[in-house]
């Protein structure tokens, strides 16, 4: 059974409309899907799924937070998108995103790149603003040649546009998810700039604060990392999730319908709902 519990639409930084994502996921043979946009559940607003359509849709969200100075993401899976906790959490994170965008704009201005905030906001339109919209502005104005260079020079970890001190705490996002009826899942633990020891400390801390699951598979990844993460999930008694982190059709390492099979030792998160 194909399961993909981590995807993005144009409600945040993905390319597809929610209905198109749902259709393409069905065409790709996905049986169980979650749309997990950054700090918004807007995709679910207009998406009342007819019962005959595959895949089965699990409401989700991806919250941004910070742990020990590192930007960390937490998925809320099987949440109630209309709950007070999720509404309040998403609203507060969206204010934080807007304020962060202003700071990114100021910082870019200070190093000689004017109008980035207005440019990024225009590109984002009704979508929740994020660094990818600044990246597109930098590409469109020929300041960089592509998105990868935009992150490498201006927006990635440690660069001038990397502003993290705006997010709700890890405890807070875990509480929003729990209060919203969902399961808090540590997203892509292999993608942070952490040593293996620090990564284990993050996983342990996440568990201690009430987190219930972790992504053992995120897109195309090294089988050795999969084994390491599966072992950590077992050690800390965390449910296992898998997702492509799909954003757009041209990213070959994160495609709808790609195999995301969890190792046999894992307890899949969908067994818990
Ligand atoms: P934000 O949510 O505003 O902090 O932006 C983070 C998002 O930017 C991630 O979810 C990715 O979609 C995207 N992203 C992060 N790093 C890169 C990169 N090196 N190249 C392209 N996109 C990236
Ligand atoms: Mn993204
Ligand atoms: Mn993420
Ligand atoms: Mn994501």
């Amino acid at each position: 059974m194909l399961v993909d519990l981590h995807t993005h639409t144009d409600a945040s930084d993905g390319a597809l409309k929610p209905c198109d994502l749902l259709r393409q996921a069905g065409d790709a043979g996905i049986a169980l899907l979650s749309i997990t946009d950054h700090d918004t559940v807007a995709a679910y607003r207009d998406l009342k799924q007819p019962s005959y359509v595959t895949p089965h849709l699990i409401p989700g969200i991806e919250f941004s937070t910070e742990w020990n100075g590192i930007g960390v993401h937490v998925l809320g899976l099987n949440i109630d998108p209309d709950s007070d906790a999720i509404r309040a959490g998403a609203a507060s994170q969206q204010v934080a995103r807007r304020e962060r965008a202003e700071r990114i704009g100021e910082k870019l201005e200070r190093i000689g790149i004017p109008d980035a905030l207005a440019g990024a906001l225009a590109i984002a339109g009704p979508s929740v603003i994020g660094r990818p919209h600044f990246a597109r502005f930098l590409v469109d104005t020929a300041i960089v040649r592509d998105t990868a260079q935009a992150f490498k020079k201006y927006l990635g970890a440690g660069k001038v546009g990397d502003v993290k001190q705006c997010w709700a705490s890890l405890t807070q996002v875990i509480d929003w998810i729990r209060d919203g009826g969902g399961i808090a899942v540590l997203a892509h633990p292999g993608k942070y700039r952490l040593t293996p020891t620090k990564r284990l400390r993050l996983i342990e801390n996440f568990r201690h604060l009430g987190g219930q699951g972790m992504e053992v598979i995120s897109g195309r990844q090294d089988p050795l990392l999969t084994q390491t993460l599966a072992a950590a999930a077992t050690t800390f008694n965390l449910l296992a999730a898998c997702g492509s982190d799909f954003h757009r059709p041209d990213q070959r390492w994160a495609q709808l319908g790609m195999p995301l099979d969890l190792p046999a030792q894992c307890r899949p998160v969908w067994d818990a709902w």
Side-chain angles (χ1 to χ4, degrees):
M1 175 171 85
L2 280 180
V3 178
D4 190 338
L5 300 175
H6 188 156
T7 64
H8 296 273
T9 73
D10 66 1
S12 64
D13 59 1
L16 301 184
K17 289 191 199 341
C19 57
D20 292 332
L21 175 75
L22 203 56
R23 204 188 48 246
Q24 290 194 23
D27 290 348
I30 294 171
L32 198 57
L33 177 83
S34 187
I35 295 172
T36 51
D37 276 309
H38 298 285
D39 301 307
T40 177
V41 286
Y44 292 95
R45 219 172 21 213
D46 311 311
L47 209 57
K48 294 289 171 251
Q49 188 187 14
S51 61
Y52 57 86
V53 174
T54 60
H56 183 64
L57 191 58
I58 303 292
I61 192 166
E62 181 173 19
F63 282 127
S64 296
T65 182
E66 195 192 338
W67 181 81
N68 279 2
I70 300 268
V72 163
H73 290 174
V74 178
L75 299 177
L77 294 180
N78 208 23
I79 51 166
D80 173 0
D82 297 321
S83 59
D84 290 345
I86 294 299
R87 277 172 191 260
S92 135
Q93 292 279 96
Q94 283 164 36
V95 171
R97 278 187 173 272
R98 173 63 201 227
E99 287 170 2
R100 180 182 70 149
E102 284 166 16
R103 288 180 60 194
I104 294 174
E106 285 163 14
K107 286 181 139 194
L108 290 173
E109 186 119 33
R110 234 173 280 150
I111 59 162
I113 302 172
D115 307 325
L117 175 62
L121 284 171
I123 289 163
S127 313
V128 167
I129 185 112
R131 283 178 288 168
H133 304 109
F134 280 93
R136 270 209 15 228
F137 167 80
L138 294 170
V139 175
D140 291 352
T141 50
I143 289 165
V144 294
R145 68 171 176 273
D146 56 23
T147 304
Q149 200 185 27
F151 273 88
K152 203 167 169 200
K153 284 184 79 172
Y154 298 108
L155 301 166
K159 303 299 172 191
V160 63
D162 176 33
V163 182
K164 290 185 298 283
Q165 308 86 307
C166 61
W167 306 122
S169 66
L170 184 53
T171 316
Q172 176 69 86
V173 306
I174 291 171
D175 287 354
W176 282 332
I177 293 165
R178 188 203 51 226
D179 295 347
I183 290 182
V185 171
L186 183 63
H188 43 61
K191 288 189 185 154
Y192 307 119
R193 294 203 308 180
L194 292 171
T195 61
T197 310
K198 284 224 175 98
R199 187 169 61 212
L200 279 179
R201 210 170 296 154
L202 166 64
I203 294 168
E204 183 176 23
N205 200 209
F206 176 77
R207 181 77 177 107
H208 178 72
L209 295 174
Q212 291 179 276
M214 63 182 263
E215 277 194 309
V216 167
I217 299 191
S218 175
R220 188 191 295 163
Q221 82 180 24
D222 186 338
L224 274 176
L225 176 62
T226 303
Q227 285 314 315
T228 305
L229 295 179
T234 305
T235 301
F236 293 106
N237 195 23
L238 286 160
L239 297 160
C242 54
S244 61
D245 208 358
F246 172 85
H247 282 74
R248 57 193 68 255
D250 61 2
Q251 296 183 324
R252 300 178 56 90
W253 60 91
Q255 277 309 296
L256 296 173
M258 68 191 299
L260 301 163
D261 301 313
L262 291 171
Q265 76 191 90
C266 291
R267 202 151 56 91
V269 66
W270 53 91
D271 281 359
W273 58 58

